[in-house]
Amino acid sequence: MVKIDSKTRFIGLLGYPLGHSFSPIMQNAAFKSKNINIVYIALEVKPQDLETVVKAIPKMNFAGFNVTIPYKIEIMKYLDETDDLAKFIGAVNTVAIKDGKMKGYNTDGIGFLRSLEEHLNIKPDGKNIFILGSGGASRAISMTLAMNRARKIYICNRTFEKAEALVADINKRCGQISQVVPMNNERMAEAISEADILINTTSVGTHPDVDDIPIDKDLLHSNLAVCDVVYNPRKTKLLLVAEKLGCKIMSGLGMLIFQGAEAFEIWTGVEAPANTMFEAAEAFYNHSV
Ligand code: ATR
């Protein structure tokens, strides 16, 4: 951690309950490596105290904060300004404080995109993308992909109406840059056969149900890049099966690190030391996840 003195500023992580989080470990490693006098601290805030805490934060020496479950939507009503992408997504995970004003951003989708570029050398432009799930993670990723000129985005959900609602929202907010199609399990084979990238945003495959897989494995093909937002385990059953088929694969850990790297850059204006953040997260991971 940096040496704390009278000039030290803070970044908080607001959520409830917080449990184990990678963010304090990786952000403090990043501030130290760049010699920036900021300390990142976890702030577990009960729902009835959220308003009081959020209104007090800009009155103290905070440079900003991250927001996690369950406050990513509720926080928006307390902010002075919200970045366009966060408005489209309808959720904020990062807040920067400047001259006492709070501005909200959403770095989850950008984190996914940076991980895709850094780890798999893939850009979304012109790609056909098949997304499983239509919850919060799917929303951040699909909106960001649509804003970054993906060709076609299929959104497949167990509850079809939720896929339809997300598709309608993307079309309304992102000006139909990409063709976005809702999908149910019956029609997925053809869509996956023409997809370049498949992304699991459901919780299927996470601990303790590590043998679960969110789709029929016979639908996978070796031209697919297969990505999972699940990072526990590091390689889900979906990724293990895809890897065996010769697919490029990407774990959810990359998205987690790069959403943090993006937030670091918003707070400091300094390029994030992504490798340092990865090493810190991996060390934490090996000990506690
Ligand atoms: P997050 O914020 O992590 O995206 P969420 O908003 O609760 O979490 O969304 C979870 C997504 O995973 C939803 O699309 C959910 O499908 P439903 O809308 O039908 O509930 C999907 N999901 C969760 N468990 C699932 C399962 N066992 N099989 C298929 N889909 C599942």
Side-chain angles (χ1 to χ4, degrees), residues 133-138 157-159 162 201-204:
S134 61
S138 171
N157 200 41
R158 168 176 75 170
T159 315
K162 288 196 197 163
T201 71
T202 77
S203 50
V204 177

Side-chain angles (χ1 to χ4, degrees), residues 54 65 67 71-97 101-107 147 173 266:
V54 172
F65 53 94
V67 188
Y71 301 133
K72 286 186 180 184
I73 298 170
E74 195 184 345
I75 195 72
M76 296 179 79
K77 67 177 182 233
Y78 301 115
L79 305 177
D80 299 292
E81 205 185 331
T82 305
D83 167 74
D84 277 347
L85 180 59
K87 270 192 210 148
F88 290 154
I89 294 169
V92 159
N93 78 329
T94 299
V95 175
I97 300 171
K101 300 269 185 248
M102 295 191 279
K103 179 168 180 182
Y105 300 83
N106 191 309
T107 69
M147 295 293 285
R173 296 178 193 216
I266 288 170

Side-chain angles (χ1 to χ4, degrees), residues 2-10 36-39 61-62:
V2 297
K3 196 165 167 280
I4 296 172
D5 59 25
S6 60
K7 293 265 174 14
T8 303
R9 288 181 304 152
F10 297 102
I36 294 174
N37 194 358
I38 294 181
V39 172
N61 48 340
F62 275 77

Side-chain angles (χ1 to χ4, degrees), residues 15 18 21 39 43 49 53-54 68 76 119 126 137 139 145 195 259:
L18 280 180
S21 169
V39 172
L43 301 172
D49 299 327
V53 172
V54 172
T68 187
M76 296 179 79
H119 293 127
R139 203 179 163 81
L145 288 171
Q259 63 76 29

